[in-house]
Amino acid sequence: MSRLIVVSNRVPLPAKNGAASAGGLAVALQSALAARGGLWLGWSGKICSDEPVGPLTMLKDGNIEYALTDLTDLDVEEYYQGFANRVLWPICHYRLDLAEYGRREMTGYFRVNQFFASRLLPLIQKDDVIWIHDYHLIPLAEELRRQGVKNRIGFFLHIPWPAPDVFLAMPVHDELLKSLTAYDVIGFQTRQDRENFAACLARQNIGERLGEEEFSAAGRTFIARPYPIGIETDEFAKLARQAGNTTLHKRMRQSLDGKDLIIGVDRLDYSKGITQRIDAFETFLTRHPDYQRKVTLLQITPKSRSEVPEYEAMQKTVAEQAGRVNGALGTVDWVPIRYVNRSLRRPALAGLYRMAKVALVTPLRDGMNLVAKEFVAAQDEDDPGVLLLSRFAGAAHELKDAMLVNPYDVEGTADVIARSLAMPREERQARWKSMMATVRENNVFTWCDTFLADLAGNEAPEGVAQPRLKRVSR
Ligand code: ADQ
């Protein structure tokens, strides 16, 4: 099997103390690479003020080698905080109102992608397959091709690909679209993302669609396919089963004192719909006063990207909102919302999911949302909890037996919270069973294997792809 090179913006090094990592990308890929071995290159997270940036830091852990590069102040400001987090992230999550496009940031983004290519180039061996991750690194393959790299290169987008009207609002849309055609395989979370991408290509007259998944552009062919990301389902289910005896679990049960637990777990991000969720929970409590003092919402939200002003502001908004609801509805011995800004270890998280009667997974837009899948995996099959899931999460395309909601509809979501809490056991079991089968089938190993099988196949003679696919009508 060819060596695998993974490239992502951040490289999650194996934690020395077992501390949990908050990123879905990290959680998914670490388990995938551990099974195969290879090289993982990315930003070390360190910022250096002097140029040029020093040599790569090379580390080895078992069969995974890590190559880490520092970036300069300017790189981080323009490429990461600027173009990636303040242009691509909001646009791909349909928040044109939050996108702050600037030429300087855009130039920095392409420059840092060139820099990543220059760091990777000396490490590439003839038969390596290269798998590049996420929106930070869209132009990387094009840069590598420019430098003569003929290896198979795949790209997986962890976040949504928006509809053409939204994507094309970004000034450099064509550059990004064209750069994607340098890959051999482009992976999306859902069919809808792939179709949105295909519609952007068609609208801009870039290349040609040769089949459902096959495209050609600039003399090369490539495939674009959905590969829904998953979790280590059986492992996570085991963690959840074992969590019952831990001190945290016992303390939590004690503090609930017979009340039902509703859980929300999300990075602090405007795409996750946390404020709408708290509004829905408040509406639910107001409309169903019988539930007051009988339920508690535990919202676990580690802070992220606090250097971006919207995130800093959001932290304040959510904390104030939770405080207001608690002040208005709480009593001396009942706090409706427990709001916690911490990362938890995975076993603790698994145990809390299992304890919860209902999970509120209500992003306004999400590539997949692994929390939804983790919640399903963690349930007790005899008495499973209910997953309340936004129809705008990629996971909703697979988990059709969740209680699907429109998170913008606060009153509708409030009603579904009430229905979920009152759901009879047989219905909970039936819904869970079907969702669990999907989460088992589309697990992180299937995701990885399917992508890598596609990336390995389809070899073109001497790196020049031939349009060998039969043309079908569109
Ligand atoms: P994220 O936006 O980070 O990922 P998500 O898929 O929900 O979103 O993954 C979050 C991960 O972090 C989960 O594994 C969760 O358990 C963990 N996590 C969250 N809060 C935590 C806490 N307090 N303590 C410990 N762990 C916590 C991006 C995209 C998603 C896509 C993933 C994977 O935005 O749409 O599903 O990548 O492709």
Side-chain angles (χ1 to χ4, degrees):
M1 202 190 294
S2 309
R3 187 173 75 141
L4 172 63
I5 297 181
V6 170
V7 189
S8 60
N9 174 55
R10 290 304 304 276
V11 179
L13 297 175
K16 288 196 189 83
N17 55 4
S21 160
L25 168 66
V27 176
L29 270 180
Q30 207 133 39
S31 43
L33 249 185
R36 290 163 191 268
L39 173 76
W40 195 336
L41 179 133
W43 175 31
S44 60
K46 290 192 194 129
I47 302 173
C48 57
S49 31
D50 308 327
E51 285 203 63
V53 174
L56 289 171
T57 305
M58 302 297 295
L59 303 167
K60 202 163 165 58
D61 181 69
N63 51 356
I64 309 179
E65 215 180 342
Y66 294 94
L68 307 172
T69 182
D70 299 347
L71 292 176
T72 67
D73 286 333
L74 194 70
D75 290 343
V76 175
E77 193 188 316
E78 295 176 352
Y79 144 84
Y80 179 67
Q81 294 165 3
F83 196 75
N85 284 343
R86 297 176 84 169
V87 180
L88 285 173
W89 179 272
I91 286 180
C92 290
H93 289 87
Y94 288 74
R95 291 298 302 268
L96 283 176
D97 57 320
L98 295 180
E100 290 177 45
Y101 175 80
R103 280 192 191 163
R104 188 169 72 88
E105 287 74 18
M106 181 272 292
T107 310
Y109 176 79
F110 283 93
R111 182 188 71 244
V112 172
N113 269 273
Q114 260 166 28
F115 174 69
F116 270 109
S118 71
R119 301 245 97 170
L120 184 57
L121 205 58
L123 304 176
I124 300 174
Q125 296 164 12
K126 188 168 166 280
D127 294 324
D128 288 345
V129 294
I130 305 170
W131 189 1
I132 293 165
H133 287 263
D134 231 356
Y135 60 103
H136 311 91
L137 300 172
I138 292 172
L140 187 51
E142 190 183 37
E143 292 302 335
L144 291 169
R145 298 277 184 233
R146 225 172 253 151
Q147 316 246 14
V149 172
K150 302 265 198 293
N151 301 53
R152 303 277 299 169
I153 313 180
F155 176 77
F156 184 76
L157 184 70
H158 290 256
I159 65 174
W161 188 282
D165 281 346
V166 176
F167 185 76
L168 299 177
M170 178 164 40
V172 280
H173 49 75
D174 273 9
E175 286 81 344
L176 289 171
L177 283 168
K178 282 181 188 150
S179 72
L180 275 164
T181 67
Y183 289 96
D184 296 294
V185 178
I186 306 172
F188 296 97
Q189 300 276 24
T190 66
R191 228 180 103 88
Q192 183 183 308
D193 296 318
R194 195 268 312 280
E195 289 309 313
N196 284 341
F197 168 69
C200 287
L201 290 179
R203 179 93 71 92
Q204 295 308 102
N205 256 321
I206 296 173
E208 214 176 333
R209 192 165 191 169
L210 306 175
E212 192 189 346
E213 313 188 314
E214 298 87 10
F215 297 79
S216 77
R220 311 181 74 260
T221 60
F222 61 93
I223 64 167
R225 254 188 98 176
Y227 303 87
I229 198 167
I231 60 164
E232 307 154 80
T233 310
D234 292 331
E235 181 63 29
F236 202 82
K238 193 164 139 208
L239 285 181
R241 278 196 303 274
Q242 291 168 344
N245 299 322
T246 60
T247 323
L248 179 113
H249 198 93
K250 287 180 190 149
R251 281 199 345 244
M252 184 65 196
R253 266 219 182 290
Q254 225 168 25
S255 79
L256 281 173
D257 194 22
K259 295 178 192 66
D260 283 343
L261 177 66
I262 300 183
I263 197 166
V265 176
D266 320 73
R267 269 186 318 98
L268 185 67
D269 194 293
Y270 49 77
S271 65
K272 302 291 182 183
I274 302 172
T275 55
Q276 288 81 353
R277 181 183 312 170
I278 294 179
D279 282 345
F281 183 64
E282 183 185 17
T283 306
F284 152 73
L285 286 175
T286 317
R287 287 191 173 182
H288 301 271
D290 288 357
Y291 277 108
Q292 292 188 17
R293 301 170 59 84
K294 296 207 179 87
V295 292
T296 291
L297 168 61
L298 172 64
Q299 177 64 48
I300 309 177
T301 299
K303 291 186 196 172
S304 67
R305 304 179 192 169
S306 22
E307 70 287 346
V308 179
E310 285 82 28
Y311 288 74
E312 194 54 37
M314 205 194 140
Q315 161 61 7
K316 206 163 161 264
T317 310
V318 175
E320 280 174 7
Q321 193 188 9
R324 189 186 52 71
V325 175
N326 285 340
L329 297 174
T331 57
V332 284
D333 59 349
W334 173 57
V335 181
I337 303 174
R338 301 185 193 183
Y339 179 53
V340 179
N341 290 134
R342 269 174 209 283
S343 264
L344 298 185
R345 288 171 177 228
R346 295 184 72 65
L349 200 56
L352 289 171
Y353 286 139
R354 192 175 176 93
M355 205 185 287
K357 290 270 181 252
V358 175
L360 303 184
V361 183
T362 56
L364 303 177
R365 202 54 74 165
D366 216 331
M368 176 53 66
N369 196 299
L370 294 177
V371 169
K373 295 189 169 182
E374 290 166 357
F375 177 77
V376 170
Q379 296 311 299
D380 174 355
E381 62 183 302
D382 290 331
D383 190 16
V386 178
L387 174 63
L388 197 151
L389 179 62
S390 162
R391 54 180 71 253
F392 304 124
H397 293 246
E398 291 168 80
L399 305 178
K400 307 258 193 246
D401 281 302
M403 296 293 281
L404 295 181
V405 296
N406 175 350
Y408 294 97
D409 177 6
V410 166
E411 291 171 316
T413 306
D415 288 347
V416 178
I417 296 176
R419 273 191 60 205
S420 301
L421 282 167
M423 190 182 286
R425 182 191 291 234
E426 299 77 62
E427 185 179 350
R428 283 188 276 127
Q429 282 177 322
R431 286 176 181 270
W432 175 79
K433 218 170 150 190
S434 116
M435 290 193 287
M436 186 61 174
T438 307
V439 173
R440 274 221 168 90
E441 195 179 324
N442 296 350
N443 61 51
V444 72
F445 304 105
T446 328
W447 170 73
C448 185
D449 290 349
T450 322
F451 189 96
L452 287 174
D454 283 350
L455 190 53
N458 217 7
E459 207 82 74
E462 268 319 300
V464 184
Q466 308 280 335
R468 47 169 190 89
L469 300 152
K470 246 178 63 201
R471 188 155 309 184
V472 294
S473 55
R474 261 190 273 173

